[in-house]
Amino acid sequence: MSKNCIYISLLSLLTFASCEKEKMTPANTSNDTITEVHYASDPDYALANKNAQELVVHFENEQKNLQKKLKKANKKEAEALFIDYYKKLSVIVDSISVAETNTLNTYHSLGNTKPDSILRKEKLYEKLGLYFRKLDSTKYDFKIKPGYFYNLFHKKISSEYEQYLKLRFKEHKLLYDLQFKNEKITLQDQRELIINWEKFILKHKDFKFIDLAKKSYTDNLTMYLFGTPEKPTFEISAKKLYMENEQEYISFVKNNPKLISAEITKKFLKHFYVNDKNFTAEEFYIDLKEFTKAEIAERIK
């Protein structure tokens, strides 16, 4: 099907939907595939000048303290513990990454020829429930394994906290399995996460971690529309959507006319088709990314 035909079909679809209703970067752009809030410089939890060994002991002790306190906690107390220890443990993990800078800077180049010192570190951090997380082709940091907080607080917190931790678990596990099991993140996986995050942020607007929930929604919707450096959704030089993605987006818009995510996808497609002849490849990508970013921010502010 020619692009003009597709565009005409899309406009017809969009008109119908309107009536019914009345986070691939270009090769030369340097962005990590994963972005996240880091707490290592937080003045309330400053852990400067501590070495990795001290931080490991500190992390173990805090994990034990949390488990001990959680045994006697009611739901409100458990939620307070989550708020406190999510930040505490995140600070320690971020600080371990800082303390292990030399190891992390060379980790990508070791491949299957890791020295015993690195293998021992892998076992140590594995025992702690941490892993070497791949951020991009050369960068690593440390991350708590998927499901740690969900499994620890399961059935001990309110339904909104339970839903939030479950969604974070699913989101994190997709990235973890991609790194360690080479299990590809499918368009269906992304679509389901987007829909579930949208439902969550609309239902729980006053949730304590609503900003992080919105960030997860934004990151997942952005990945859905733009892909990753390894698997983009369109050919940048030709400014042409891959057929699988194009069909997915048109189907998503058609089948979910009331979703904010579908409306953003509809505007993404329209902007794509209208402007693919107006810019160079790099300008086109930047313009599309900025347009989409603004649309998401406007709809979930």
Side-chain angles (χ1 to χ4, degrees):
M1 182 183 293
S2 70
K3 182 178 292 185
N4 288 336
C5 291
I6 294 172
Y7 183 43
I8 292 170
S9 299
L10 175 65
L11 288 178
S12 299
L13 169 61
L14 303 186
T15 302
F16 173 78
S18 177
C19 294
E20 284 292 301
K21 186 175 179 180
E22 298 243 331
K23 292 276 227 234
M24 164 204 126
T25 309
N28 58 351
T29 301
S30 177
N31 284 332
D32 287 346
T33 58
I34 299 172
T35 57
E36 200 164 295
V37 176
H38 289 274
Y39 294 108
S41 60
D42 191 299
D44 295 331
Y45 294 93
L47 297 174
N49 301 319
K50 288 186 179 292
N51 61 37
Q53 187 174 357
E54 290 178 292
L55 290 165
V56 164
V57 173
H58 187 32
F59 187 72
E60 286 183 306
N61 288 337
E62 290 292 4
Q63 283 181 309
K64 291 175 183 176
N65 289 338
L66 172 56
Q67 291 169 2
K68 184 177 180 180
K69 292 176 182 178
L70 195 54
K71 286 181 180 179
K72 301 178 181 179
N74 58 35
K75 282 191 176 182
K76 285 293 182 183
E77 291 168 339
E79 289 169 8
L81 285 171
F82 170 69
I83 292 170
D84 188 24
Y85 277 87
Y86 176 82
K87 189 169 186 178
K88 279 185 178 180
L89 295 180
S90 295
V91 169
I92 300 171
V93 175
D94 290 347
S95 300
I96 290 174
S97 292
V98 173
E100 289 279 23
T101 296
N102 291 337
T103 297
L104 293 170
N105 284 344
T106 59
Y107 192 75
H108 73 279
S109 64
L110 299 176
N112 295 321
T113 59
K114 297 169 187 171
D116 289 343
S117 59
I118 297 298
L119 294 175
R120 285 195 296 270
K121 285 187 178 184
E122 285 183 334
K123 290 181 180 179
L124 169 64
Y125 290 119
E126 170 81 17
K127 183 179 178 182
L128 288 175
L130 303 179
Y131 69 97
F132 287 79
R133 176 177 60 165
K134 186 175 183 179
L135 295 170
D136 62 23
S137 59
T138 63
K139 294 180 182 178
Y140 284 80
D141 70 357
F142 286 102
K143 178 76 173 176
I144 300 174
K145 285 187 175 182
Y148 173 78
F149 287 107
Y150 175 74
N151 291 328
L152 194 59
F153 284 88
H154 181 49
K155 295 184 178 180
K156 298 178 181 178
I157 47 181
S158 65
S159 61
E160 64 179 354
Y161 274 84
E162 184 92 12
Q163 291 171 40
Y164 172 76
L165 289 181
K166 188 174 183 179
L167 283 173
R168 286 303 301 269
F169 178 16
K170 288 182 176 179
E171 177 182 288
H172 187 186
K173 191 173 186 302
L174 287 176
L175 296 170
Y176 182 87
D177 288 346
L178 176 64
Q179 179 177 338
F180 290 98
K181 300 180 182 179
N182 199 31
E183 293 183 5
K184 303 301 181 184
I185 301 175
T186 68
L187 288 169
Q188 181 180 353
D189 293 330
Q190 294 177 52
R191 188 192 328 124
E192 289 177 358
L193 265 178
I194 291 164
I195 292 172
N196 287 327
W197 274 123
E198 178 176 325
K199 289 178 179 177
F200 181 88
I201 62 179
L202 291 179
K203 184 178 180 181
H204 304 290
K205 295 182 179 181
D206 297 322
F207 180 58
K208 177 73 176 180
F209 290 90
I210 191 62
D211 288 341
L212 290 180
K214 288 180 178 179
K215 184 180 184 304
S216 282
Y217 171 76
T218 299
D219 289 348
N220 282 286
L221 182 51
T222 301
M223 182 187 292
Y224 177 68
L225 296 175
F226 288 86
T228 66
E230 294 78 17
K231 190 178 180 182
T233 61
F234 60 90
E235 187 179 347
I236 298 172
S237 59
K239 292 172 284 186
K240 181 179 176 63
L241 280 163
Y242 293 119
M243 185 173 294
E244 176 189 16
N245 298 95
E246 188 171 55
Q247 291 176 344
E248 163 68 23
Y249 301 152
I250 292 174
S251 175
F252 183 48
V253 170
K254 180 179 179 180
N255 295 324
N256 302 278
K258 294 183 179 180
L259 284 179
I260 291 173
S261 309
E263 292 178 4
I264 294 171
T265 301
K266 176 175 64 178
K267 291 186 177 182
F268 166 89
L269 284 170
K270 184 175 180 180
H271 196 81
F272 190 106
Y273 292 136
V274 168
N275 291 284
D276 61 345
K277 301 297 184 184
N278 297 338
F279 301 100
T280 65
E282 184 175 356
E283 290 171 339
F284 173 75
Y285 177 87
I286 293 172
D287 173 74
L288 185 63
K289 195 70 174 285
E290 289 300 316
F291 171 82
T292 307
K293 180 180 177 181
E295 282 294 325
I296 297 172
E298 176 64 24
R299 294 309 304 270
I300 64 168
K301 64 182 179 181

